[in-house]
Amino acid sequence: EVKVVESGGGSVQPGGSLRLSCEASEFPISKYWMYWVRQAPGKGLEWVSTDGADGRTYYASSVKGRFTSSRDNAKNTLRLQMNSLKPEDTAVYYCMRDGVDCANADYCYVTSDPWGQGTQVTVSS
């Protein structure tokens, strides 16, 4: 079964850090462009980052300079290092292979539901 499982979320204070992981099954992430998206309470799905199969990464302006996406192809795992977290980063975070379209490198939008259950990130003092 093709699937992804997100993990690594938690509760942190503003300014803190977390590292999310997304373990993929039954497909090699090395061949795909992968995405992180998030859903804040009461809001729709929001694109966070793109991790290209060519090694390039792109970020939403709201997280640029604070979040870093990377991949471990040997472990078939995508990661998101999140630093300098803010309360507005509070959301459920998902990784996606399909269902994200990009108008350009700096703007993407989610067109279908994530496969996984996501991982909750809460930033609060």
Side-chain angles (χ1 to χ4, degrees):
E1 178 187 3
V2 174
K3 67 177 183 180
V4 295
V5 178
E6 302 93 345
S7 63
S11 295
V12 296
Q13 293 186 340
S17 298
L18 284 172
R19 188 176 78 160
L20 307 183
S21 294
C22 166
E23 186 173 354
S25 300
E26 301 302 324
F27 72 94
I29 66 168
S30 60
K31 296 187 181 298
Y32 290 89
W33 288 59
M34 299 291 294
Y35 308 89
W36 285 100
V37 304
R38 66 187 180 185
Q39 187 165 29
K43 297 188 176 182
L45 289 162
E46 174 192 22
W47 169 71
V48 173
S49 65
T50 297
D51 196 301
D54 62 359
R56 289 181 288 182
T57 54
Y58 306 93
Y59 302 91
S61 58
S62 59
V63 307
K64 194 174 294 183
R66 300 187 297 121
F67 290 11
T68 303
S69 180
S70 63
R71 55 175 71 203
D72 184 338
N73 289 332
K75 295 184 177 180
N76 216 32
T77 297
L78 182 72
R79 295 191 174 96
L80 185 68
Q81 178 67 42
M82 306 187 298
N83 298 328
S84 301
L85 282 162
K86 304 175 180 180
E88 51 263 43
D89 294 319
T90 294
V92 179
Y93 284 72
Y94 303 89
C95 69
M96 298 182 69
R97 188 192 81 180
D98 304 330
V100 178
D101 290 342
C102 296
N104 55 58
D106 297 319
Y107 178 67
C108 300
Y109 50 95
V110 184
T111 60
S112 66
D113 290 335
W115 295 344
Q117 295 300 307
T119 186
Q120 174 71 50
V121 171
T122 302
V123 185
S124 174
S125 56

